[in-house]
């Protein structure tokens, strides 16, 4: 019996803040595992959206020279993640004075 993807479900949140997206929703929205999703707040709710794959983004603006808004946002998020990783590595790296 297939479960409904429109009915609310209780999902446990681990001590690390991890929650499992129910299988029916992952399948319906094409969320691969392992994979990535966008998580953000909108109108007082937590929103989870699949990150489009490069194949899905390819050609969304065929013939145009500017990037699509989704692709631009993905690039921004990746750059921000790289910046945070670099800052963290710099904080953890021993200084030359030590």
């Amino acid at each position: 019996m297939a479960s409904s993807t429109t009915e609310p479900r209780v999902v446990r949140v681990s001590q690390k803040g991890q929650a499992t997206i129910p299988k029916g929703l992952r399948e319906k929205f094409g969320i691969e595992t392992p994979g990535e999703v966008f998580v953000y707040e909108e109108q007082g709710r937590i929103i989870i959206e699949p990150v489009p794959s490069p194949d899905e983004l390819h050609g969304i603006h065929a013939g145009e020279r500017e990037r699509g808004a989704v692709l631009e946002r993905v690039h921004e998020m990746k750059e921000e993640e790289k910046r945070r990783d670099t800052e963290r590595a710099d904080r953890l790296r021993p200084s030359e004075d030590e």
Side-chain angles (χ1 to χ4, degrees):
M1 179 165 106
S3 62
S4 169
T5 58
T6 59
E7 293 297 318
R9 290 203 34 203
V10 174
V11 175
R12 293 177 193 239
V13 179
S14 74
Q15 288 180 321
K16 293 183 178 183
Q18 299 167 325
T20 301
I21 300 169
K23 182 179 179 182
L25 289 170
R26 291 193 317 265
E27 289 174 347
K28 180 176 181 176
F29 291 95
I31 299 171
E32 300 290 327
T33 55
E36 295 180 327
V37 293
F38 291 117
V39 178
Y40 58 93
E41 178 187 356
E42 185 175 281
Q43 297 178 353
R45 293 179 178 261
I46 298 171
I47 307 296
I48 300 172
E49 290 182 353
V51 173
S53 71
D55 289 338
E56 292 171 312
L57 294 172
H58 182 71
I60 59 174
H61 288 282
E64 296 181 20
R65 292 196 178 269
E66 59 187 76
R67 294 180 179 164
V70 173
L71 184 57
E72 185 65 34
R73 181 70 178 129
V74 169
H75 284 286
E76 288 172 4
M77 292 177 73
K78 291 287 187 185
E79 287 301 316
E80 177 65 18
E81 184 177 1
K82 282 184 201 175
R83 185 190 61 72
R84 283 194 312 266
D85 288 346
T86 300
E87 287 177 357
R88 183 171 187 265
D90 288 345
R91 283 194 313 270
L92 296 175
R93 185 176 296 119
S95 68
E96 294 179 17
D97 296 337
E98 293 177 23

